[in-house]
Amino acid sequence: MKNKLTDLNDHLFMQLERLGDEDMDADKIEQEAKRADAMVQVADQIIRNADLQLKAANLIASHGDRFRPMLPMIGKTDAEG
């Protein structure tokens, strides 16, 4: 997998650092604020997706593999190939 949740965390902190730059003029601040809004929207979706995957994994951990065919986002085990 190319991107991980830790990469999202890095991007969000980099944006926070850009927003904290005291040398920016009003236009640049507005541009960075718009970028931050867009990043938050995408980040929210990524986090919701990760939360859903975690819930599915917890379901399988609690009730066994009988739910796995209904949860393709979990993927296959090594034994399944």
Side-chain angles (χ1 to χ4, degrees):
M1 176 184 281
K2 183 177 178 183
N3 294 309
K4 299 178 172 64
L5 287 177
T6 55
D7 297 326
L8 173 61
N9 204 37
D10 291 343
H11 286 292
L12 292 173
F13 275 111
M14 285 189 299
Q15 184 60 29
L16 186 61
E17 289 175 7
R18 282 193 291 270
L19 289 170
D21 183 355
E22 295 183 8
D23 295 332
M24 288 193 297
D25 60 25
D27 289 340
K28 185 68 175 170
I29 290 171
E30 184 177 335
Q31 180 182 6
E32 289 301 327
K34 286 180 181 177
R35 181 199 309 247
D37 286 343
M39 289 177 71
V40 166
Q41 289 179 17
V42 173
D44 283 346
Q45 290 297 322
I46 292 169
I47 292 167
R48 278 195 283 267
N49 188 46
D51 184 56
L52 180 61
Q53 290 177 342
L54 179 60
K55 288 176 182 173
N58 280 335
L59 182 66
I60 290 172
S62 298
H63 301 285
D65 279 341
R66 68 177 187 248
F67 291 107
R68 186 178 293 277
M70 294 174 268
L71 303 168
M73 77 288 271
I74 296 297
K76 297 178 181 179
T77 64
D78 291 338
E80 295 173 328

